[in-house]
């Protein structure tokens, strides 16, 4: 636990108190979008082909259908960047003239029930003259390839380049160059709750309330109002309990625009619920990248220069508001990771294809760049004949603040320390002995190490550097102590499983000397909360936590001033503790509830020296901070089948001050589980015609408890000066390091065969293919 806040005698920060969110969720009392009744139900008619010209749409008798011809007054979804050779391509709400991916919305049917709408939609016929689709981004780059969008020459819609001065001279002087040509296959975030929306028109006011499964309620409201040409004040957006998002639910889907348009047209309520097949084929995908990375090393294994060529398949359209630049540009800026390398030359491109659009998914590009960078380190260690941890030891950043070759400033971290902690906890030397004995008996164990940095909690300057038309970042919190002494914080972040209501209550409770149980966190309702940017990018505790702390400090100052008047004591002698203000060294006290009542109902006693009420607001917009961790995976590979069994997983993490250790551990464990799925199982597969072959959970395989081992966690708390809470973000770290560690372990297990697995996921089929090609199978 931390020391008490000055002026407060409580220390809730650092305790593993139970999540206040859980009782309603585990007892079936949660509020979810799909639970709402509606007069009308909408069903989307989606393209069954990847590319072609729409020749006609016909509906069955009795069906009420909406097509692009009905929506001519609506704008397209068109996010923007002002840098990196970005080409803005528009996404129509319903396909206009052509289709560009399997699953693209072509029409909508609405009816009096969900089942009837689905039956009618199934009977809608869409005639399409098919054209040859582009499924792989490398094919889309070939000379003469057809254009997905006429305005995007060569199908490149975003391209960034960084080259440090004198790079070529450093490169030529190197002792050796190690090369990795890696491939990360396409994924789907697969939240437990698929997308859903419910738009209700209010006849008395003309307003629409859109309840939906989103991560950015205010941004959803702004975007829809802009597209429809309606005042934002006429649209209320509510994100109730949301069953997971992971980034997939932060981007604007055309379905939500259509729902609001229909509710206004019908002057009624309209609902839509996505099924799992729709989610897998038409909700935003992620991580479809080719990464060619080369490292130039000196004779001692020191990385002197890093060269990269990143090609990201961004799908048919650009996601709003982050744009399709989010994956390639993050790779460009953060590829050097936790390693001290001063010479850098990298190109990153986003390429459009006839596939589902991409959007951020937990970790965004960092699981891919960590994977390829750690493969580079493992291959270099093999070349130099040393333990992979030794090569990392020679290259990890250890002096702070550190400015990377791309200009990112790293605050204090523990890159070497977390690795040493992990090595000690896993007993690396002991494992090598066990590994040799296992190999002698025909069993193949492997250990994999992944060290990484996680850029977290960054504000608007980081987004502005990308040249985004919409630069998110700051957060605002409105904090009120009501006349009964209860505390309410209205936040712009929009949590969906992170435990933010609990951790923010702990932060606020410490500042004003109350129990977290009297603090209520209000979120996800644009009519009630401060304008904010929602929840993504490991930012919520840092940004909303910082704004909450600042607002609570203002309230604390006012409470101390009120107590000073009412207790006739000097402000410096007042301590807020256990829900009361006490005069230090005496038995004189007054409850915060009594002070709150006076602040509203007895303001005359303060003679104008204190403003009425107990409400304060604060905003926070920090530059950002870096968490770091070392992940270790131990696996066993069955060379006869290619099956990988996870034997052990260990994490040594540094995310600054831990507000709630139980919640922090849960965030890491959940991320690791997703990372293991990324490494071994999950892959969206298109055939050559652009049809998705993994449209059910029988084919797209998320991890289950059977594949996930016990996860051993260790923490270091480096109290950063870059956030006022001293905390760093950690929501994505588990998903960033785990894939690299697992792939590294597989390659270590297969070292006797001289194969290199440089592709995710490492499925049994790919492992067996590599083993067969080695010619070394017994």
């Amino acid at each position: 636990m931390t020391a008490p806040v000055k002026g407060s005698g409580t220390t809730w920060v650092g305790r593993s108190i139970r999540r206040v969110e859980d009782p309603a969720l585990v007892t079936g009392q949660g509020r979810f979008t799909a639970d709402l009744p509606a007069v009308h139900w909408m069903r989307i008619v989606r393209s069954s082909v990847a590319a072609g010209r729409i020749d006609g749409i016909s509906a069955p008798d009795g069906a009420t259908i909406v097509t692009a011809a009905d929506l001519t007054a609506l704008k397209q979804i068109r996010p923007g960047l002002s840098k990196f050779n970005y080409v803005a391509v528009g996404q129509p709400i319903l396909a206009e003239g052509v289709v560009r991916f399997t699953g693209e919305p072509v029409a909508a049917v609405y009816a009096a029930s969900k089942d009837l709408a689905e039956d009618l939609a199934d009977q809608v016929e869409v005639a399409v003259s098919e054209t040859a689709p582009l499924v792989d981004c490398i094919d889309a780059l070939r000379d003469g390839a057809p254009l997905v969008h006429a305005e995007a020459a060569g199908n490149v819609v975003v391209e960034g380049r960084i080259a440090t001065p004198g790079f070529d001279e450093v490169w030529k002087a190197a002792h050796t160059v190690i090369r990795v040509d890696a491939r990360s296959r396409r994924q789907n975030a697969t939240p437990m709750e698929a997308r859903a929306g419910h738009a209700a028109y209010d006849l008395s006011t003309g307003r629409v309330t859109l309840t939906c499964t989103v991560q950015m309620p205010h941004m959803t409201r702004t975007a829809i109002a802009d597209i429809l040409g309606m005042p934002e004040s006429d649209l209320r957006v509510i994100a109730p309990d949301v069953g997971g998002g992971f980034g997939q639910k932060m981007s604007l889907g055309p379905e939500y625009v259509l729902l609001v348009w229909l509710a206004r047209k019908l002057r009624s309520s309209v609902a839509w619920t996505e099924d799992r097949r729709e989610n897998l084929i038409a909700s935003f995908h992620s991580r479809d990248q080719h990464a060619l990375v080369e490292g130039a090393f000196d004779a001692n294994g020191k990385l002197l220069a890093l060269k990269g060529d990143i090609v990201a398949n961004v799908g048919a359209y650009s996601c709003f508001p982050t744009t399709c630049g989010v994956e390639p540009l993050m790779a460009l800026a953060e590829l050097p990771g936790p390693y001290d390398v001063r010479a850098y030359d990298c190109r990153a491109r986003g390429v459009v294809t006839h596939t589902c659009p991409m959007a951020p998914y937990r970790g965004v590009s960092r699981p891919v760049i960590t994977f390829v960078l750690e493969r580079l380190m493992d291959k270099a260690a093999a070349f130099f004949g040393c333990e992979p941890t030794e090569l990392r030891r020679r290259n990890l950043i250890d002096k702070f603040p550190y400015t990377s070759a791309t200009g990112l400033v790293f605050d204090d971290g523990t890159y070497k320390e977390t690795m040493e902690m992990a090595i000690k906890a896993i007993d690396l030397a002991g494992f090598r002995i066990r590994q040799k004995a296992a190999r002698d008996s025909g069993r193949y164990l492997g250990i994999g190490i992944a060290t990484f940095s996680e850029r977290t909690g960054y504000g608007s300057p980081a987004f502005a550097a990308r040249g985004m038309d919409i630069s998110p970042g700051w957060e605002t919190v409105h904090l009120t102590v009501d006349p009964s002494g209860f505390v309410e914080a209205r936040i712009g972040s929009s949590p969906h499983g992170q435990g933010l209501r609990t951790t923010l209550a702990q932060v606020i409770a410490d500042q004003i000397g109350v129990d977290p149980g009297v603090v209520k966190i209000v979120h996800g309702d644009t009519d009630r909360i401060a304008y904010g940017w929602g929840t993504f990018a490991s930012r919520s505790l840092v940004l909303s936590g910082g704004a909450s702390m600042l607002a609570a400090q203002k309230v604390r100052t006012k409470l101390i001033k009120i107590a000073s008047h009412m207790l006739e004591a000097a402000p410096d002698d007042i301590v807020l503790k256990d829900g009361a203000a006490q005069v230090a060294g005496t038995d004189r006290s007054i409850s915060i509830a009594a002070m709150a009542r006076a602040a509203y109902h007895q303001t005359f006693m303060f003679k104008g020296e204190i403003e009425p009420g107990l409400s304060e607001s604060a905003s926070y917009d920090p530059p950002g901070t870096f968490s770091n961790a070392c992940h270790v995976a131990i696996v066993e590979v069955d060379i006869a089948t290619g099956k990988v069994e996870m034997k052990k997983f260990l994490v040594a993490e540094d995310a600054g001050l831990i507000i709630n250790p139980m919640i922090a551990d849960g965030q890491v464990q959940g991320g690791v589980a997703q990372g293991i799925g990324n490494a071994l199982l999950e892959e969206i597969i298109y055939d050559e015609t652009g049809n998705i072959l993994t449209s059910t959970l029988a084919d797209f395989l998320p991890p289950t408890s059977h594949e996930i081992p016990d996860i051993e966690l260790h923490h270091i708390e480096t109290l950063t000066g870059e956030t006022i809470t001293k905390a760093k973000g950690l929501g994505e770290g588990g998903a960033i390091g785990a894939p690299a560690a697992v792939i590294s372990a597989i390659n270590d297990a297969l070292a006797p065969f001289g194969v290199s697995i440089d592709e995710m996921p490492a499925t049994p089929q790919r492992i067996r293919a590599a083993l067969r090609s080695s010619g070394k199978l017994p």
Side-chain angles (χ1 to χ4, degrees), residues 382-404:
F383 176 85
F384 287 103
C386 66
E387 185 71 55
T389 52
E390 175 55 31
L391 194 84
R392 287 165 172 80
R393 197 176 283 121
R394 298 173 191 176
N395 288 285
L396 286 167
I397 300 166
D398 60 3
K399 293 181 174 62
F400 303 94
Y402 174 85
T403 302
S404 75

Side-chain angles (χ1 to χ4, degrees), residues 318-378:
S318 191
C319 58
F320 184 97
T322 56
T323 80
C324 62
V326 64
E327 285 202 3
L329 296 182
M330 177 179 282
L332 178 72
E334 300 187 32
L335 179 61
Y339 297 109
D340 177 24
V341 55
R342 308 311 307 159
Y344 182 58
D345 184 355
C346 184
R347 175 175 64 163
R349 289 170 287 174
V351 179
V352 286
T353 62
H354 292 108
T355 60
C356 179
M358 307 294 266
Y361 170 40
R362 197 173 192 172
V364 196
S365 264
R366 285 165 297 191
V368 181
I369 61 177
T370 299
F371 155 56
V372 67
L373 196 57
E374 295 303 89
R375 289 299 298 130
L376 181 72
M377 287 294 163
D378 285 349

Side-chain angles (χ1 to χ4, degrees), residues 143-155:
D143 292 340
L147 297 181
V148 178
H149 295 273
E151 60 268 41
N155 292 312

Side-chain angles (χ1 to χ4, degrees), residues 358 453 526 546 608 657 713:
M358 307 294 266
S453 58
T526 58
L657 180 66
L713 301 177

Side-chain angles (χ1 to χ4, degrees), residues 262-282:
L262 267 176
R264 297 178 85 207
K265 172 184 170 65
L266 301 175
R267 297 168 63 86
S268 186
S269 60
V270 188
W272 165 73
T273 302
E274 177 182 68
D275 63 28
R276 184 57 62 184
R277 181 178 182 276
E278 284 182 290
N279 182 267
L280 286 169
I281 70 170

Side-chain angles (χ1 to χ4, degrees), residues 373-442:
L373 196 57
E374 295 303 89
R375 289 299 298 130
L376 181 72
M377 287 294 163
D378 285 349
K379 291 188 177 188
F383 176 85
F384 287 103
C386 66
E387 185 71 55
T389 52
E390 175 55 31
L391 194 84
R392 287 165 172 80
R393 197 176 283 121
R394 298 173 191 176
N395 288 285
L396 286 167
I397 300 166
D398 60 3
K399 293 181 174 62
F400 303 94
Y402 174 85
T403 302
S404 75
T406 65
L408 300 179
V409 179
F410 286 60
D411 56 330
D412 288 349
T414 52
Y415 299 91
K416 288 185 176 179
E417 293 86 345
T418 48
M419 188 182 74
E420 300 299 344
M421 175 185 280
I423 293 170
K424 181 179 179 180
I426 207 75
D427 185 15
L428 180 58
F431 171 80
R432 291 300 185 198
I433 295 170
R434 297 194 304 275
Q435 181 184 47
K436 184 179 184 306
R439 284 179 180 172
D440 290 344
S441 64

Side-chain angles (χ1 to χ4, degrees), residues 44 132 139 146 245 287 344 437 439 530 542 574 608 644 665 737 739 749 761 771-772:
I44 300 296
D139 291 336
R287 305 220 222 288
Y344 182 58
R439 284 179 180 172
V542 175
I574 302 296
V644 177
D665 287 354
L771 288 169
R772 284 194 299 270

Side-chain angles (χ1 to χ4, degrees), residues 49-52 90 92 98-102 104 148-149 316-317 353-355:
V49 301
V98 299
V99 292
R100 293 189 173 93
F101 70 95
T102 300
E104 180 170 10
V148 178
H149 295 273
Y317 299 106
T353 62
H354 292 108
T355 60

